[in-house]
Amino acid sequence: MPDKHHKELQEAVAQVRALLEDLQLLGVTELPQGPDPAAQPPCRIDEPVSGADCRAETLEEIRADLGDCQRCSLSKRRQHIVFGAGSAAARLVLVGEAPGRDEDQQGEPFVGEAGRLLDRILFAMNLRREEVYICNVQKCRPPKNRDPLPEEIAACEPFLKRQLAAIQPQVIVTLGRFAAQTLLDTPQAISRLRGRWHSYQGIALMPTYHPAFLLRNPAAKREVWEDMKQVMARLRQESG
C-alpha cells in the first residue's frame, strides 16, 4: 500500500498533467519565461543603468573591469594589482590604505608583518581570513608607502565603492587614518574617529588603528581590541 508521501507525489503529478491538458486546449504551446539574470546588465553605482532592470555586480566583474589598470601613475611602478581577498558573502569587510612592498610582490592584501598581526586579531575574534573580505582604498603601491595623491584616489576609490556595494557587508572596519577619512569623507584624525560607530551607505563602520601603527605603538593594541569587541557585539546583534 503506497505511503503518504507516495500519494502526495501522485496527486502532484496528476495536477500538473491536468494543468498541461487545460493549457493545450486553450492553445497555449509554450509558457512565458522570466528574465535571464545572466542577460541583465550589472548595477554599477558609478554608472546607473537607465530604463532597464539590472542585477547586483559581482566581484569578478569588478576585477575584470579594473583589468590591467593604467588609470593613474601608480601603475608604472607596481608589480601586482592588489584587488582584495576573502569571501564575497562576508559579513565583515576590512579596508586598509594601500598595498605595501610584500602585498605588491604577492598581489594579496595584508600579507606582511602587519598582515600577520591582523590575522591574530581576527583569530581573537574567532574569525578567519576566508570568512571576511580584506581590501584597500588603493589597489597599487604608492612609492615609499607615501599617502596616495588626490588623482590616485579619484581613479581607484570607485572600485572600492563597487566592491562594498557588491558584498553588502553588515560591518566595515577601516584600518588607519587614510581609509577612515576616505570612506567617511572627513579630515578628522583617526584618534577622534576610532572607538565609535559611523555609517557608510547605511552600513555600520568602525574606524580603528592600522596594524602597521600597532607594530610601532604596541600600547595601542588595547584600544584596537576595545574597537573589535564592539564589532563582535554588532555582528552578534545583526545575526540575532
Side-chain angles (χ1 to χ4, degrees):
M1 183 174 182
D3 59 20
K4 178 181 177 181
H5 294 297
H6 186 66
K7 286 183 178 179
E8 291 176 350
L9 179 60
Q10 286 181 321
E11 291 174 0
V13 170
Q15 290 174 2
V16 171
R17 183 180 294 115
L19 174 61
L20 292 175
E21 290 174 352
D22 288 342
L23 291 173
Q24 188 175 19
L25 289 173
L26 291 170
V28 178
T29 58
E30 60 181 34
L31 296 176
Q33 297 182 355
D36 180 5
Q40 292 178 297
C43 301
R44 284 184 51 170
I45 59 173
D46 58 336
E47 293 182 5
V49 177
S50 59
D53 292 330
C54 61
R55 57 175 173 77
E57 208 176 13
T58 68
L59 291 174
E60 290 78 9
E61 288 171 331
I62 299 168
R63 178 64 185 89
D65 187 40
L66 180 62
D68 182 26
C69 185
Q70 307 289 323
R71 293 171 178 83
C72 77
S73 60
L74 293 182
S75 62
K76 295 178 173 62
R77 297 188 179 187
R78 70 158 186 253
Q79 293 191 49
H80 291 95
I81 291 175
V82 183
F83 180 70
S87 170
R91 299 170 60 212
L92 172 64
V93 173
L94 300 107
V95 181
E97 174 182 329
R101 181 188 61 189
D102 294 322
E103 290 78 13
D104 181 47
Q105 291 176 346
Q106 299 184 41
E108 293 288 332
F110 285 88
V111 293
E113 191 175 359
R116 288 188 288 274
L117 177 54
L118 180 60
D119 287 341
R120 294 196 292 273
I121 294 171
L122 290 173
F123 179 80
M125 298 172 70
N126 197 30
L127 290 169
R128 295 175 293 112
R129 273 185 178 247
E130 294 79 10
E131 298 174 279
V132 303
Y133 193 82
I134 306 174
C135 57
N136 290 298
V137 175
Q138 295 296 134
K139 309 308 181 192
C140 298
R141 181 193 182 196
K144 299 181 180 179
N145 294 338
R146 62 158 171 76
D147 283 350
L149 302 175
E151 60 268 25
E152 296 163 355
I153 300 169
C156 222
E157 187 183 5
F159 290 95
L160 170 63
K161 291 183 173 181
R162 288 166 64 185
Q163 285 173 292
L164 295 173
I167 299 170
Q168 282 295 304
Q170 293 172 347
V171 176
I172 299 170
V173 170
T174 54
L175 302 169
R177 168 184 61 86
F178 182 82
Q181 291 178 341
T182 299
L183 283 182
L184 296 177
D185 191 22
T186 178
Q188 286 192 34
I190 183 63
S191 58
R192 299 194 60 179
L193 293 170
R194 63 146 295 274
R196 56 191 177 91
W197 288 106
H198 304 260
S199 179
Y200 170 81
Q201 300 292 318
I203 302 171
L205 186 151
M206 174 62 73
T208 196
Y209 293 124
H210 195 284
F213 175 80
L214 300 182
L215 294 174
R216 302 188 300 270
N217 303 273
K221 290 179 181 179
R222 184 180 297 274
E223 293 173 278
V224 170
W225 184 238
E226 291 300 318
D227 298 341
M228 293 305 100
K229 286 195 292 187
Q230 290 194 61
V231 171
M232 290 187 291
R234 188 65 171 255
L235 290 172
R236 286 195 297 269
Q237 176 185 337
E238 294 288 344
S239 62

